[in-house]
Amino acid sequence: MEYSCIGLHDLPDEILMIIFKKLDNFDVLFTLHGVNERLNRLIKDSIFTSRLTFVEWMSNNFIDLISSDMIVNRFRLQILPEIRHKIEWL
């Protein structure tokens, strides 16, 4: 049996969407934004942009998912302006 090297770019959009849906919207947007045009198009789908949560509830405490000024600035200056018209809940 021959080995083949299959990368993320080889997967169809449908498979990528299934994978991305398993992840937190915040992580998908922050991690994949700006990687390439194809991923930008996929992550700007309303599945990932309509409901954004910046805190997480764990053990009766809120945990802030935005842990640094760099993350805040990237969301505020780059990501949110591009998806603002798709956000329904923040």
Side-chain angles (χ1 to χ4, degrees), residues 33-50:
H33 180 269
V35 171
N36 62 39
E37 288 181 29
R38 179 181 178 212
L39 291 179
N40 277 346
R41 179 179 43 81
L42 290 175
I43 66 169
K44 289 179 184 174
D45 187 282
S46 62
I47 292 169
F48 307 112
T49 58
S50 64

Side-chain angles (χ1 to χ4, degrees), residues 2-37:
E2 289 186 39
Y3 292 97
S4 63
C5 184
I6 297 176
L8 187 67
H9 62 276
D10 297 317
L11 297 173
D13 290 353
E14 294 80 12
I15 300 296
L16 290 175
M17 290 296 277
I18 291 169
I19 294 169
F20 296 163
K21 285 180 194 178
K22 302 284 184 192
L23 304 172
D24 182 71
N25 291 358
F26 177 87
D27 293 331
V28 169
L29 287 168
F30 184 77
T31 306
L32 300 175
H33 180 269
V35 171
N36 62 39
E37 288 181 29

Side-chain angles (χ1 to χ4, degrees), residues 74-85:
R74 182 158 185 233
F75 254 94
R76 184 174 57 89
L77 299 173
Q78 296 175 1
I79 299 170
L80 289 177
E82 292 182 21
I83 63 169
R84 70 181 178 277
H85 59 283

